[in-house]
Amino acid sequence: MSEESAPFLNPPVARWRAHARDWNRRPMLVKQFMLFSAAAVITLPLLYMLSSRGDAALSIPEPYGGSHVQPFPPETVPEGEPAYLPSITAYPPYAGGDEHGSVATVLPPHIEDLSRPDRPGAPLETATRPQDVPAAAPSQPVTFALIMWSEHSASEGAILLKSIMMYTSVPVDVYILCDEEAQTYVERRLALVQRPRHPLRVFFYRMAWQAMLDRIEREGSISTVHAAGVPGLMKLFIHELLPAHVERAIFVDTDAFFVSDPALLWRQFDAFNATTAIMLPSHPEMFAPQWFDANKICSCVMLLDLARFRALRLMDSSAYRAAGLPALAPAAFRELFGAPEADTGRYAGAALGDQSFWWAIIRGRPELFMHLHYDWEVSSCLLDMYATGLTGSDAATIEDELAAQLHTWATPHQGEAIMPKLVHFNCLEGARYHEWAGWDDPTNSLAVRWAPAVRYHAGYKWLWLNQGQKGGAAVTTETVFDVRFADELHA
Ligand SMILES: *[C@@H]1O[C@H](CO)[C@@H](O)[C@H](O)[C@H]1NC(C)=O
């Protein structure tokens, strides 16, 4: 039996995946419907007057080279200069409103300053890093922390890993929180590459299911019964799992791949200031009260300052409570979700898995957060990938792209052409996005726009990655068994 046709062996994960896909689909429909309805009410008269296309009329194109658009290709950005620094550090000025009416009504409510010193974690924060100075960038390679649980997940994640190797201009370290099946799948492919262009080190962190359950139990308030399930919740504990010398890491969902140099994404860390701990894409225009508005962010791609989360002691534990060490998250959770359920002590209403908890953390402690450009959040489950794709002319101009683009109105990137750098294919039927039947359907809009890219990256042979000199860079792997969480040091 080929590994591809091996039966899926892990029921809890099967449930996790099914739920995740299920859930992912629902909020989008609701979100799109709500957004569309609102947009229609506001803009139908305008549309009539302008006799123009939907979103083209909504997102007034700004002249290229405007304050938050870099008019040069990423290659010419000076070394150490984040490619999108202006739009990362501040929402562009249109956010105050334009002729479509005040967009303030769809922006998140102003969040009060919660950084008072008596908050858990605050003393540590000031002790470890002086305020008002940029955080010194650690000298570490471009580092990823990925979660691959089951062979299906690894078959997707392997394409992500392959794309990192295809496009990287620098050495890369990858930490993979995984089970044995996933490791076997990925190792078999890595073994085909003896001379990559750049060094690649892969660290397999073999997780025991029970160890993950136990950590969630020690935390005590987060719930495993929804969307992302047990492996998904591990996104909240990456700082506790990776070794202390790994100060920063990028998390990406497995069902995504790069179409650009991952070093460009790593460079976004340069925008971090003395309090930033997390950068991820955000959608102030989204709202869903039934999910506590957790759809305002996507935890599908995250730049994480692990050192800062360690210093702040992000997630709680019975071990920390016993040692009298306060954690950051509990107050933020309570603030957003209210009191946990009386009988279980859990936030059962936090229905979007880890994303709900990240949203609570970001909302409660906004100084930890920075926005990541949508160029890295082009997702089949989210806003129709802004209608980007491999259609139209390869000589399309900014104006052409803006005329075709969807769903950027009232976002931090209104008036900007989205230029995909990382693409993400979730909410598709089946266990592996790259084997989705829809890719062969010539009438499916997603397939028309993106199937060739999926086929190219899925089909690109691992052997072809042997592009380096003999005796040059290598691929090395290491396996860490019996992975422990940081809180266990206090047990
Ligand atoms: C860092 O940036 C964030 C987001 O722009 C902001 O909320 C925070 O106050 C900044 N922190 C410092 C120390 O400048």
Side-chain angles (χ1 to χ4, degrees):
M1 191 185 295
S2 84
E3 59 184 2
E4 274 77 18
S5 61
F8 188 57
L9 295 172
N10 205 323
V13 181
R15 251 192 340 265
W16 164 50
R17 295 190 59 86
H19 281 209
R21 282 167 199 280
D22 233 37
W23 154 69
N24 275 334
R25 216 168 291 121
R26 266 182 251 127
M28 273 322 299
L29 291 175
V30 176
K31 280 187 294 202
Q32 286 176 342
F33 175 73
M34 293 168 97
L35 187 65
F36 183 80
S37 311
V41 166
I42 296 165
T43 59
L44 275 175
L46 199 75
L47 279 172
Y48 177 73
M49 278 161 28
L50 297 177
S51 314
S52 183
R53 294 187 52 182
D55 198 65
L58 294 179
S59 54
I60 300 301
E62 294 186 15
Y64 189 47
S67 64
H68 54 282
V69 179
Q70 298 285 334
F72 36 67
E75 287 76 21
T76 63
V77 175
E79 201 54 53
E81 196 74 16
Y84 289 99
L85 189 51
S87 51
I88 288 164
T89 47
Y91 287 167
Y94 75 84
D98 57 21
E99 62 268 48
H100 305 301
S102 170
V103 291
T105 53
V106 291
L107 289 169
H110 178 71
I111 297 160
E112 59 170 318
D113 179 19
L114 299 163
S115 54
R116 51 186 188 275
D118 61 342
R119 292 184 69 79
L124 267 169
E125 177 182 324
T126 44
T128 49
R129 269 186 203 161
Q131 298 291 306
D132 306 313
V133 293
S139 60
Q140 62 168 90
V142 168
T143 302
F144 287 90
L146 308 177
I147 299 174
M148 298 186 199
W149 201 269
S150 84
E151 192 180 281
H152 286 312
S153 164
S155 89
E156 297 183 339
I159 299 170
L160 170 61
L161 191 53
K162 194 200 297 181
S163 73
I164 290 171
M165 295 180 75
M166 287 168 74
Y167 297 112
T168 189
S169 61
V170 294
V172 177
D173 282 357
V174 183
Y175 291 80
I176 306 180
L177 312 180
C178 61
D179 60 356
E180 186 178 357
E181 273 182 61
Q183 177 172 1
T184 304
Y185 186 97
V186 172
E187 266 182 339
R188 190 173 297 177
R189 278 143 189 85
L190 288 175
L192 295 165
V193 189
Q194 270 87 49
R195 33 182 194 88
R197 262 181 316 126
H198 299 282
L200 174 74
R201 298 192 300 178
V202 178
F203 303 89
F204 294 101
Y205 271 45
R206 287 278 290 280
M207 306 289 297
W209 188 263
Q210 190 59 44
M212 297 192 286
L213 284 182
D214 290 347
R215 182 64 186 90
I216 291 165
E217 192 57 39
R218 292 196 298 277
E219 194 283 334
S221 76
I222 61 175
S223 173
T224 60
V225 297
H226 291 290
V230 171
L233 287 176
M234 292 303 106
K235 294 190 203 178
L236 294 160
F237 296 97
I238 290 170
H239 61 288
E240 286 207 12
L241 293 164
L242 267 48
H245 67 264
V246 181
E247 295 183 26
R248 288 174 168 181
I250 297 172
F251 172 86
V252 184
D253 277 352
T254 49
D255 47 2
F257 57 82
F258 280 90
V259 291
S260 69
D261 186 347
L264 286 175
L265 179 53
W266 185 260
R267 201 184 279 166
Q268 306 310 304
F269 271 121
D270 295 350
F272 277 37
N273 64 28
T275 57
T276 318
I278 182 169
M279 179 187 269
L280 47 67
S282 63
H283 288 269
E285 82 284 9
M286 296 285 196
F287 54 95
Q290 70 276 32
W291 293 301
F292 301 100
D293 283 353
N295 59 342
K296 285 188 188 293
I297 59 166
C298 188
S299 62
C300 50
V301 49
M302 305 188 281
L303 274 65
L304 301 169
D305 189 320
L306 305 177
R308 176 152 291 276
F309 278 141
R310 288 178 194 123
L312 295 170
R313 205 172 300 102
L314 178 65
M315 299 300 289
D316 203 5
S317 164
S318 53
Y320 296 146
R321 291 191 288 273
L325 300 168
L328 178 149
F333 291 168
R334 187 171 279 267
E335 223 167 81
L336 182 61
F337 306 132
E341 291 199 339
D343 48 341
T344 62
R346 311 250 162 203
Y347 295 110
L352 305 193
D354 72 286
Q355 186 161 296
S356 294
F357 299 113
W358 283 120
W359 172 238
I361 291 160
I362 286 167
R363 198 176 173 286
R365 298 291 295 268
E367 78 280 9
L368 302 179
F369 166 72
M370 274 192 188
H371 170 76
L372 176 66
H373 200 286
Y374 297 159
D375 285 6
W376 283 280
E377 186 231 42
V378 176
S379 170
S380 58
C381 208
L382 197 59
L383 305 175
D384 300 314
M385 303 180 83
Y386 312 105
T388 58
L390 301 170
T391 45
S393 169
D394 70 334
T397 62
I398 294 285
E399 289 71 26
D400 297 335
E401 290 293 272
L402 283 173
Q405 194 166 295
L406 294 174
H407 306 309
T408 49
W409 179 70
T411 74
H413 303 294
Q414 177 172 352
E416 281 182 58
I418 305 302
M419 304 182 197
K421 294 179 170 58
L422 174 72
V423 288
H424 184 195
F425 298 101
N426 49 352
C427 304
L428 305 178
E429 285 301 328
R432 304 176 182 203
Y433 75 84
H434 48 110
E435 294 173 7
W436 177 53
W439 294 126
D440 294 320
D441 177 359
T443 65
N444 184 287
S445 154
L446 177 67
V448 168
R449 284 177 293 122
W450 286 102
V454 173
R455 291 211 181 88
Y456 175 70
H457 290 87
Y460 192 97
K461 292 188 171 39
W462 281 86
L463 270 183
W464 301 349
L465 291 170
N466 288 295
Q467 298 169 5
Q469 304 292 322
K470 275 211 172 67
V475 175
T476 55
T477 64
E478 201 174 294
T479 305
V480 178
F481 294 96
D482 190 26
V483 176
R484 297 298 186 88
F485 291 84
D487 72 319
E488 293 177 79
L489 298 174
H490 296 278

